[in-house]
Amino acid sequence: MSKTILITGGAGFIGSHVVRLFSNKYPDYKIVNLDKLTYAGNLENLRDIENHANYIFEKGDIVDERYIKDLFSKYNFDGVVHLAAESHVDRSITNPMEFIMTNVVGTVNLLNAAKDAWKGNEDGKLFYHVSTDEVYGSLGDTGLFLETTSYDPQSPYSSSKASSDHFVRAYGNTYGMPFVISNCSNNYGPNQFPEKLLPLFINNIRNGKALPVYGDGKFTRDWLYVVDHAIAIDKIYHEGRNGETYNIGGFNEWTNIDLIKVLCKQMDIALGNAAGTAENLISYVKDRPGHDKRYAIDANKLKNELGWEPSLQFEEGLVKTIAWYLGNKEWMDNITSGDYQNYYKQQYS
Ligand code: NAD
Ligand code: TYD
Protein backbone atom coordinates (compact mmCIF):
# COMPACT_ATOMS: atom_id res chain seq x y z
CA MET A 1 0.00 0.00 0.00
CA SER A 2 1.29 3.44 -0.86
CA LYS A 3 2.27 5.78 2.00
CA THR A 4 3.92 9.16 2.32
CA ILE A 5 6.51 9.09 5.07
CA LEU A 6 8.47 11.96 6.56
CA ILE A 7 11.96 10.95 7.66
CA THR A 8 13.66 13.70 9.65
CA GLY A 9 17.46 13.87 9.89
CA GLY A 10 17.79 11.70 6.79
CA ALA A 11 21.06 13.32 5.72
CA GLY A 12 22.77 12.28 8.96
CA PHE A 13 24.48 9.03 9.87
CA ILE A 14 21.61 6.71 10.84
CA GLY A 15 18.95 8.66 8.94
CA SER A 16 20.75 8.18 5.61
CA HIS A 17 20.71 4.40 6.09
CA VAL A 18 17.01 4.51 6.98
CA VAL A 19 16.17 6.66 3.94
CA ARG A 20 18.15 4.31 1.67
CA LEU A 21 16.45 1.22 3.07
CA PHE A 22 12.93 2.67 2.81
CA SER A 23 13.49 4.14 -0.65
CA ASN A 24 14.92 0.87 -2.02
CA LYS A 25 12.47 -1.46 -0.29
CA TYR A 26 9.23 0.47 -0.82
CA PRO A 27 9.09 1.85 -4.37
CA ASP A 28 5.39 2.65 -3.82
CA TYR A 29 6.07 4.93 -0.84
CA LYS A 30 6.90 8.60 -1.11
CA ILE A 31 9.88 9.26 1.17
CA VAL A 32 10.36 12.89 2.19
CA ASN A 33 13.70 13.54 3.86
CA LEU A 34 13.62 16.72 5.96
CA ASP A 35 17.02 17.87 7.15
CA LYS A 36 18.52 21.18 8.22
CA LEU A 37 21.95 20.10 6.98
CA THR A 38 23.80 21.06 10.13
CA TYR A 39 27.49 20.16 10.34
CA ALA A 40 26.30 16.53 10.74
CA GLY A 41 24.01 16.44 7.71
CA ASN A 42 25.58 15.56 4.38
CA LEU A 43 23.72 14.90 1.14
CA GLU A 44 26.76 12.97 -0.10
CA ASN A 45 25.45 10.20 2.15
CA LEU A 46 22.49 9.77 -0.23
CA ARG A 47 24.09 10.18 -3.68
CA ASP A 48 23.13 6.64 -4.71
CA ILE A 49 19.41 7.17 -4.17
CA GLU A 50 18.93 10.91 -4.75
CA ASN A 51 17.39 10.36 -8.19
CA HIS A 52 14.91 7.72 -7.08
CA ALA A 53 11.37 8.59 -8.15
CA ASN A 54 10.04 7.94 -4.63
CA TYR A 55 12.55 10.23 -2.86
CA ILE A 56 12.26 13.96 -2.11
CA PHE A 57 14.64 16.13 -0.11
CA GLU A 58 13.39 19.16 1.86
CA LYS A 59 15.87 21.45 3.58
CA GLY A 60 14.37 22.84 6.77
CA ASP A 61 14.53 23.18 10.52
CA ILE A 62 12.26 21.19 12.85
CA VAL A 63 12.46 24.09 15.32
CA ASP A 64 10.60 26.29 12.81
CA GLU A 65 6.96 25.74 13.79
CA ARG A 66 5.40 27.47 10.77
CA TYR A 67 7.62 25.61 8.32
CA ILE A 68 6.78 22.24 9.88
CA LYS A 69 3.04 22.91 9.81
CA ASP A 70 3.28 23.92 6.13
CA LEU A 71 5.26 20.79 5.31
CA PHE A 72 2.52 18.63 6.84
CA SER A 73 -0.10 20.47 4.76
CA LYS A 74 1.99 20.08 1.63
CA TYR A 75 2.51 16.32 1.90
CA ASN A 76 -0.31 14.86 3.97
CA PHE A 77 2.04 12.43 5.71
CA ASP A 78 0.89 8.97 6.81
CA GLY A 79 3.84 8.54 9.09
CA VAL A 80 6.91 10.14 10.59
CA VAL A 81 10.25 8.50 11.37
CA HIS A 82 11.92 11.12 13.52
CA LEU A 83 15.70 10.97 13.70
CA ALA A 84 16.72 14.65 13.43
CA ALA A 85 18.67 15.58 16.53
CA GLU A 86 21.80 17.06 17.93
CA SER A 87 23.52 13.79 18.74
CA HIS A 88 26.96 14.27 20.26
CA VAL A 89 27.41 14.19 24.05
CA ASP A 90 30.57 16.34 24.05
CA ARG A 91 28.83 19.09 22.07
CA SER A 92 25.89 18.95 24.49
CA ILE A 93 28.28 19.70 27.32
CA THR A 94 29.58 22.80 25.52
CA ASN A 95 26.23 23.98 24.16
CA PRO A 96 23.17 22.44 25.87
CA MET A 97 20.68 25.00 24.51
CA GLU A 98 21.11 23.78 20.94
CA PHE A 99 20.09 20.32 22.18
CA ILE A 100 17.02 21.61 23.98
CA MET A 101 15.92 23.50 20.86
CA THR A 102 16.32 20.72 18.31
CA ASN A 103 15.73 17.63 20.44
CA VAL A 104 12.91 18.92 22.66
CA VAL A 105 11.27 21.92 20.92
CA GLY A 106 11.80 20.42 17.46
CA THR A 107 10.20 17.13 18.52
CA VAL A 108 7.21 18.92 20.08
CA ASN A 109 6.75 20.96 16.87
CA LEU A 110 6.58 17.72 14.89
CA LEU A 111 4.16 16.19 17.39
CA ASN A 112 1.88 19.24 17.19
CA ALA A 113 1.90 19.23 13.40
CA ALA A 114 1.15 15.48 13.31
CA LYS A 115 -1.59 15.83 15.96
CA ASP A 116 -3.33 18.60 14.01
CA ALA A 117 -2.94 16.91 10.65
CA TRP A 118 -4.17 13.51 11.86
CA LYS A 119 -6.94 14.69 14.22
CA GLY A 120 -9.96 12.36 14.00
CA ASN A 121 -8.18 10.34 11.32
CA GLU A 122 -5.45 8.60 13.32
CA ASP A 123 -6.04 5.14 11.82
CA GLY A 124 -3.00 3.92 9.91
CA LYS A 125 -0.90 6.89 11.04
CA LEU A 126 2.30 6.52 13.06
CA PHE A 127 4.81 8.79 14.79
CA TYR A 128 8.02 6.77 15.19
CA HIS A 129 10.48 8.44 17.54
CA VAL A 130 14.09 7.23 17.31
CA SER A 131 15.84 7.49 20.65
CA THR A 132 18.87 6.28 22.53
CA ASP A 133 19.71 3.90 25.37
CA GLU A 134 21.42 6.86 27.09
CA VAL A 135 18.04 7.97 28.50
CA TYR A 136 18.30 5.11 31.02
CA GLY A 137 21.47 6.58 32.56
CA SER A 138 24.57 4.63 33.50
CA LEU A 139 24.86 1.00 34.66
CA GLY A 140 27.29 -0.51 37.15
CA ASP A 141 29.26 -3.64 36.27
CA THR A 142 26.14 -5.77 35.86
CA GLY A 143 22.56 -5.47 34.62
CA LEU A 144 20.96 -4.50 31.32
CA PHE A 145 18.56 -1.76 30.22
CA LEU A 146 15.04 -3.07 29.75
CA GLU A 147 12.11 -1.16 28.24
CA THR A 148 10.80 -0.86 31.81
CA THR A 149 14.03 0.60 33.25
CA SER A 150 13.40 4.01 34.83
CA TYR A 151 14.77 7.01 33.00
CA ASP A 152 17.86 8.53 34.61
CA PRO A 153 19.63 10.64 31.97
CA GLN A 154 22.99 12.06 33.01
CA SER A 155 24.18 14.33 30.19
CA PRO A 156 22.53 17.32 28.51
CA TYR A 157 22.22 15.17 25.35
CA SER A 158 20.51 12.25 27.08
CA SER A 159 18.33 14.62 29.12
CA SER A 160 17.08 16.26 25.93
CA LYS A 161 16.38 12.87 24.34
CA ALA A 162 14.64 11.65 27.51
CA SER A 163 12.50 14.78 27.49
CA SER A 164 11.52 14.20 23.86
CA ASP A 165 10.61 10.56 24.63
CA HIS A 166 8.35 11.78 27.45
CA PHE A 167 6.61 14.23 25.12
CA VAL A 168 5.95 11.49 22.56
CA ARG A 169 4.37 9.25 25.22
CA ALA A 170 2.42 12.20 26.62
CA TYR A 171 0.95 12.91 23.15
CA GLY A 172 -0.01 9.24 22.87
CA ASN A 173 -1.68 9.32 26.27
CA THR A 174 -3.30 12.74 26.00
CA TYR A 175 -4.24 13.08 22.34
CA GLY A 176 -4.32 9.45 21.17
CA MET A 177 -1.30 9.98 18.93
CA PRO A 178 -0.28 6.61 17.45
CA PHE A 179 3.41 6.19 18.26
CA VAL A 180 6.33 3.85 18.81
CA ILE A 181 9.70 4.63 20.38
CA SER A 182 12.93 2.71 20.05
CA ASN A 183 16.00 3.18 22.22
CA CYS A 184 19.18 1.96 20.57
CA SER A 185 22.76 1.45 21.68
CA ASN A 186 25.89 2.92 20.01
CA ASN A 187 25.85 2.60 16.23
CA TYR A 188 28.89 2.26 13.98
CA GLY A 189 29.35 1.98 10.22
CA PRO A 190 29.69 4.09 7.07
CA ASN A 191 28.78 7.82 7.04
CA GLN A 192 29.23 8.54 10.76
CA PHE A 193 30.53 12.03 11.49
CA PRO A 194 34.14 11.84 12.81
CA GLU A 195 33.32 13.35 16.18
CA LYS A 196 32.15 9.92 17.42
CA LEU A 197 34.68 7.40 18.67
CA LEU A 198 35.12 5.00 15.75
CA PRO A 199 35.29 7.31 12.71
CA LEU A 200 37.36 9.81 14.70
CA PHE A 201 39.91 7.14 15.60
CA ILE A 202 39.93 5.64 12.09
CA ASN A 203 40.65 9.08 10.66
CA ASN A 204 43.35 9.83 13.23
CA ILE A 205 45.10 6.50 12.64
CA ARG A 206 45.03 7.14 8.90
CA ASN A 207 46.69 10.51 9.55
CA GLY A 208 49.13 9.28 12.22
CA LYS A 209 47.45 11.47 14.87
CA ALA A 210 47.05 10.75 18.60
CA LEU A 211 44.02 8.70 19.72
CA PRO A 212 42.45 10.62 22.64
CA VAL A 213 41.10 7.99 25.07
CA TYR A 214 38.94 9.62 27.76
CA GLY A 215 39.81 8.79 31.38
CA ASP A 216 41.02 5.24 31.97
CA GLY A 217 39.24 3.91 28.86
CA LYS A 218 37.24 1.45 30.96
CA PHE A 219 33.82 2.70 29.90
CA THR A 220 31.51 0.17 28.34
CA ARG A 221 29.21 0.55 25.33
CA ASP A 222 27.11 -1.89 23.30
CA TRP A 223 27.78 -1.57 19.56
CA LEU A 224 25.43 -2.21 16.65
CA TYR A 225 26.10 -1.99 12.91
CA VAL A 226 24.06 0.92 11.55
CA VAL A 227 22.36 -1.07 8.78
CA ASP A 228 21.03 -3.47 11.42
CA HIS A 229 19.56 -0.47 13.24
CA ALA A 230 17.87 0.65 10.02
CA ILE A 231 16.46 -2.86 9.52
CA ALA A 232 15.12 -2.81 13.10
CA ILE A 233 13.48 0.60 12.47
CA ASP A 234 11.78 -0.77 9.34
CA LYS A 235 10.49 -3.79 11.27
CA ILE A 236 9.23 -1.72 14.19
CA TYR A 237 7.65 0.86 11.89
CA HIS A 238 5.65 -1.82 10.08
CA GLU A 239 5.11 -4.47 12.75
CA GLY A 240 5.59 -2.78 16.13
CA ARG A 241 2.62 -2.34 18.44
CA ASN A 242 1.12 1.11 18.94
CA GLY A 243 2.34 2.82 22.10
CA GLU A 244 5.21 0.39 22.67
CA THR A 245 8.89 0.94 23.30
CA TYR A 246 11.52 -1.37 21.82
CA ASN A 247 15.14 -1.52 22.90
CA ILE A 248 17.59 -2.17 20.07
CA GLY A 249 21.09 -3.45 20.77
CA GLY A 250 23.92 -5.51 19.37
CA PHE A 251 24.31 -8.06 22.20
CA ASN A 252 27.88 -6.79 21.89
CA GLU A 253 29.51 -5.01 24.86
CA TRP A 254 33.05 -3.64 24.77
CA THR A 255 35.13 -1.48 27.04
CA ASN A 256 36.44 1.46 25.04
CA ILE A 257 40.06 0.43 25.43
CA ASP A 258 39.45 -3.17 24.27
CA LEU A 259 37.47 -1.90 21.31
CA ILE A 260 40.20 0.61 20.44
CA LYS A 261 42.85 -2.13 20.55
CA VAL A 262 40.86 -4.31 18.13
CA LEU A 263 40.37 -1.28 15.89
CA CYS A 264 44.13 -0.55 15.99
CA LYS A 265 44.96 -4.13 15.03
CA GLN A 266 42.53 -4.11 12.09
CA MET A 267 43.75 -0.69 10.95
CA ASP A 268 47.38 -1.90 10.89
CA ILE A 269 46.27 -4.80 8.70
CA ALA A 270 44.17 -2.61 6.42
CA LEU A 271 46.94 -0.01 6.00
CA GLY A 272 49.72 -2.59 5.67
CA ASN A 273 51.51 -1.18 8.72
CA ALA A 274 53.65 -3.13 11.21
CA ALA A 275 51.66 -4.59 14.12
CA GLY A 276 51.52 -2.12 17.01
CA THR A 277 51.80 1.02 14.83
CA ALA A 278 48.28 2.28 15.57
CA GLU A 279 48.33 1.27 19.24
CA ASN A 280 51.36 3.53 19.73
CA LEU A 281 49.06 6.48 18.98
CA ILE A 282 46.88 5.83 22.06
CA SER A 283 46.97 8.82 24.37
CA TYR A 284 44.96 8.96 27.61
CA VAL A 285 43.36 12.39 28.01
CA LYS A 286 41.16 14.19 30.54
CA ASP A 287 37.86 12.41 31.08
CA ARG A 288 34.52 13.66 29.72
CA PRO A 289 32.62 15.44 32.55
CA GLY A 290 29.90 13.17 33.99
CA HIS A 291 31.02 10.32 31.69
CA ASP A 292 28.48 7.44 31.80
CA LYS A 293 30.26 4.27 32.91
CA ARG A 294 28.33 1.55 31.15
CA TYR A 295 25.42 1.11 28.74
CA ALA A 296 24.09 -2.37 27.96
CA ILE A 297 20.84 -3.26 26.25
CA ASP A 298 18.50 -6.19 26.59
CA ALA A 299 17.00 -6.36 23.08
CA ASN A 300 15.05 -9.57 23.68
CA LYS A 301 11.62 -7.94 23.42
CA LEU A 302 12.40 -6.95 19.82
CA LYS A 303 13.93 -10.36 19.13
CA ASN A 304 11.01 -12.32 20.61
CA GLU A 305 8.14 -10.14 19.35
CA LEU A 306 9.36 -9.16 15.92
CA GLY A 307 12.11 -11.69 15.20
CA TRP A 308 14.83 -9.05 14.74
CA GLU A 309 18.48 -9.91 15.43
CA PRO A 310 21.73 -8.21 14.41
CA SER A 311 22.85 -9.74 11.11
CA LEU A 312 26.57 -9.00 11.45
CA GLN A 313 29.17 -10.22 13.91
CA PHE A 314 31.08 -7.25 15.33
CA GLU A 315 34.48 -8.19 13.86
CA GLU A 316 32.90 -8.49 10.41
CA GLY A 317 31.12 -5.14 10.83
CA LEU A 318 34.30 -3.45 11.96
CA VAL A 319 36.32 -4.71 8.98
CA LYS A 320 33.55 -3.53 6.63
CA THR A 321 33.46 -0.15 8.37
CA ILE A 322 37.22 0.36 8.13
CA ALA A 323 37.15 -0.63 4.46
CA TRP A 324 34.39 1.93 3.82
CA TYR A 325 36.28 4.83 5.46
CA LEU A 326 39.53 3.95 3.72
CA GLY A 327 37.68 3.62 0.41
CA ASN A 328 35.93 6.98 0.89
CA LYS A 329 38.81 9.26 1.88
CA GLU A 330 37.30 12.14 -0.04
CA TRP A 331 34.09 11.96 2.02
CA MET A 332 36.20 12.17 5.17
CA ASP A 333 38.56 14.86 3.87
CA ASN A 334 35.62 17.07 2.79
CA ILE A 335 34.01 17.06 6.22
CA THR A 336 37.20 17.34 8.23
CA SER A 337 38.35 20.54 6.59
CA GLY A 338 36.93 23.91 7.68
CA ASP A 339 34.83 24.01 10.85
CA TYR A 340 35.83 20.55 11.97
CA GLN A 341 39.36 21.79 12.61
CA ASN A 342 38.05 24.43 15.04
CA TYR A 343 35.85 21.84 16.77
CA TYR A 344 38.83 19.49 17.10
CA LYS A 345 41.08 22.17 18.55
CA GLN A 346 38.44 23.28 21.05
CA GLN A 347 37.60 19.72 22.13
CA TYR A 348 41.06 18.18 22.29
CA SER A 349 43.72 20.81 22.88
P1 NAD B 1 23.66 12.71 13.28
O1 NAD B 1 24.15 13.79 14.16
O2 NAD B 1 24.62 11.97 12.40
O3 NAD B 1 22.52 13.28 12.31
C1 NAD B 1 21.52 14.14 12.74
C2 NAD B 1 20.84 14.73 11.51
O4 NAD B 1 19.80 15.62 11.97
C3 NAD B 1 21.77 15.57 10.63
O5 NAD B 1 21.57 15.24 9.27
C4 NAD B 1 21.36 17.01 10.91
O6 NAD B 1 21.56 17.88 9.83
C5 NAD B 1 19.88 16.84 11.25
N1 NAD B 1 19.38 17.92 12.12
C6 NAD B 1 19.95 18.39 13.25
N2 NAD B 1 19.22 19.41 13.75
C7 NAD B 1 18.15 19.56 12.91
C8 NAD B 1 17.03 20.44 12.92
N3 NAD B 1 16.89 21.37 13.85
N4 NAD B 1 16.12 20.32 11.92
C9 NAD B 1 16.28 19.38 10.94
N5 NAD B 1 17.32 18.53 10.90
C10 NAD B 1 18.25 18.62 11.87
O7 NAD B 1 22.87 11.72 14.24
P2 NAD B 1 22.74 10.13 14.19
O8 NAD B 1 23.87 9.54 14.89
O9 NAD B 1 22.43 9.71 12.81
O10 NAD B 1 21.46 9.94 15.12
C11 NAD B 1 20.15 9.97 14.57
C12 NAD B 1 19.14 9.74 15.67
O11 NAD B 1 19.38 8.48 16.30
C13 NAD B 1 19.20 10.79 16.79
O12 NAD B 1 17.89 11.08 17.18
C14 NAD B 1 19.97 10.09 17.89
O13 NAD B 1 19.58 10.58 19.16
C15 NAD B 1 19.55 8.65 17.70
N6 NAD B 1 20.52 7.63 18.12
C16 NAD B 1 21.83 7.69 17.70
C17 NAD B 1 22.72 6.68 18.09
C18 NAD B 1 24.15 6.67 17.60
O14 NAD B 1 24.92 5.80 18.02
N7 NAD B 1 24.56 7.55 16.73
C19 NAD B 1 22.28 5.64 18.91
C20 NAD B 1 20.93 5.64 19.33
C21 NAD B 1 20.07 6.63 18.91
P1 TYD C 1 30.82 8.50 21.54
O1 TYD C 1 31.15 7.92 20.21
O2 TYD C 1 30.91 9.97 21.73
O3 TYD C 1 29.39 7.95 21.94
P2 TYD C 1 28.58 8.08 23.36
O4 TYD C 1 29.29 9.00 24.27
O5 TYD C 1 27.26 8.59 22.93
O6 TYD C 1 28.54 6.67 23.88
O7 TYD C 1 31.79 7.84 22.61
C1 TYD C 1 31.84 6.45 22.81
C2 TYD C 1 32.76 6.19 23.98
O8 TYD C 1 34.09 6.57 23.62
C3 TYD C 1 32.40 7.01 25.19
O9 TYD C 1 32.63 6.23 26.38
C4 TYD C 1 33.38 8.18 25.15
C5 TYD C 1 34.61 7.58 24.50
N1 TYD C 1 35.41 8.52 23.70
C6 TYD C 1 36.78 8.64 23.91
O10 TYD C 1 37.36 7.96 24.79
N2 TYD C 1 37.49 9.55 23.17
C7 TYD C 1 36.90 10.30 22.21
O11 TYD C 1 37.60 11.13 21.56
C8 TYD C 1 35.50 10.16 21.98
C9 TYD C 1 34.79 10.99 20.94
C10 TYD C 1 34.79 9.25 22.74
Side-chain angles (χ1 to χ4, degrees):
M1 202 185 65
S2 172
K3 287 179 195 294
T4 303
I5 299 184
L6 171 65
I7 299 182
T8 70
F13 167 47
I14 301 169
S16 60
H17 291 277
V18 175
V19 167
R20 175 174 299 101
L21 178 66
F22 275 61
S23 173
N24 282 330
K25 189 168 171 187
Y26 303 107
D28 290 348
Y29 287 14
K30 190 186 282 177
I31 304 299
V32 180
N33 169 18
L34 160 64
D35 200 295
K36 185 181 175 185
L37 300 181
T38 67
Y39 76 91
N42 186 351
L43 290 176
E44 283 298 317
N45 298 344
L46 291 164
R47 278 286 169 251
D48 56 322
I49 64 120
E50 69 184 1
N51 293 322
H52 283 192
N54 68 348
Y55 171 72
I56 297 168
F57 176 68
E58 290 275 359
K59 184 169 190 280
D61 187 344
I62 59 169
V63 177
D64 183 341
E65 186 183 347
R66 186 70 261 155
Y67 169 79
I68 293 298
K69 282 216 171 335
D70 289 347
L71 199 74
F72 272 74
S73 306
K74 182 171 171 189
Y75 287 106
N76 206 7
F77 296 118
D78 298 295
V80 177
V81 183
H82 175 36
L83 297 110
E86 287 293 333
S87 68
H88 189 41
V89 174
D90 292 328
R91 290 187 195 250
S92 82
I93 294 168
T94 326
N95 188 5
M97 195 50 91
E98 195 94 31
F99 285 67
I100 295 163
M101 292 313 291
T102 287
N103 299 0
V104 186
V105 177
T107 300
V108 176
N109 276 340
L110 288 166
L111 286 166
N112 280 333
K115 170 171 81 63
D116 294 346
W118 297 344
K119 199 170 176 190
N121 192 20
E122 284 87 1
D123 242 25
K125 307 291 194 296
L126 184 65
F127 192 101
Y128 184 149
H129 180 59
V130 176
S131 193
T132 167
D133 62 353
E134 305 190 23
V135 299
Y136 298 121
S138 179
L139 290 163
D141 291 337
T142 58
L144 298 169
F145 296 136
L146 285 161
E147 287 80 359
T148 49
T149 301
S150 298
Y151 275 32
D152 187 21
Q154 299 290 321
S155 74
Y157 164 64
S158 55
S159 301
S160 67
K161 290 297 290 185
S163 173
S164 63
D165 293 11
H166 288 317
F167 272 105
V168 175
R169 291 197 184 93
Y171 273 58
N173 179 59
T174 311
Y175 307 110
M177 165 84 67
F179 76 93
V180 282
I181 298 178
S182 59
N183 297 84
C184 189
S185 59
N186 288 56
N187 285 214
Y188 70 97
N191 298 126
Q192 188 169 31
F193 193 81
E195 61 189 351
K196 308 277 169 43
L197 181 72
L198 278 170
L200 189 143
F201 278 33
I202 290 171
N203 192 40
N204 282 13
I205 293 169
R206 172 164 86 87
N207 292 309
K209 279 177 71 174
L211 305 177
V213 179
Y214 294 162
D216 61 6
K218 295 197 176 127
F219 300 84
T220 302
R221 299 290 183 265
D222 172 85
W223 294 90
L224 178 68
Y225 192 64
V226 63
V227 174
D228 279 327
H229 188 187
I231 292 169
I233 288 173
D234 174 31
K235 247 198 175 320
I236 294 168
Y237 185 89
H238 290 95
E239 298 170 38
R241 285 182 293 134
N242 182 14
E244 291 289 318
T245 297
Y246 295 90
N247 282 350
I248 310 174
F251 301 95
N252 177 40
E253 277 185 56
W254 289 83
T255 62
N256 291 343
I257 193 64
D258 286 347
L259 179 83
I260 289 160
K261 286 185 177 164
V262 175
L263 173 72
C264 286
K265 215 166 124 196
Q266 291 299 336
M267 284 294 289
D268 284 343
I269 294 168
L271 293 169
N273 288 338
T277 306
E279 248 192 74
N280 281 334
L281 297 170
I282 288 176
S283 158
Y284 288 91
V285 300
K286 196 159 84 67
D287 203 359
R288 170 188 283 173
H291 196 166
D292 286 342
K293 186 77 187 151
R294 177 169 167 262
Y295 306 140
I297 278 269
D298 183 334
N300 279 305
K301 176 176 171 182
L302 180 59
K303 184 175 167 187
N304 296 333
E305 267 191 32
L306 302 185
W308 174 91
E309 275 185 278
S311 68
L312 277 188
Q313 292 298 312
F314 180 66
E315 284 72 8
E316 196 187 343
L318 187 63
V319 169
K320 263 177 96 144
T321 300
I322 291 170
W324 187 86
Y325 285 99
L326 296 183
N328 289 275
K329 294 189 179 115
E330 215 174 292
W331 179 93
M332 185 64 97
D333 291 342
N334 283 345
I335 55 176
T336 51
S337 59
D339 271 359
Y340 180 81
Q341 295 301 327
N342 298 331
Y343 165 77
Y344 201 93
K345 247 186 240 141
Q346 205 184 2
Q347 182 63 28
Y348 293 102
S349 63

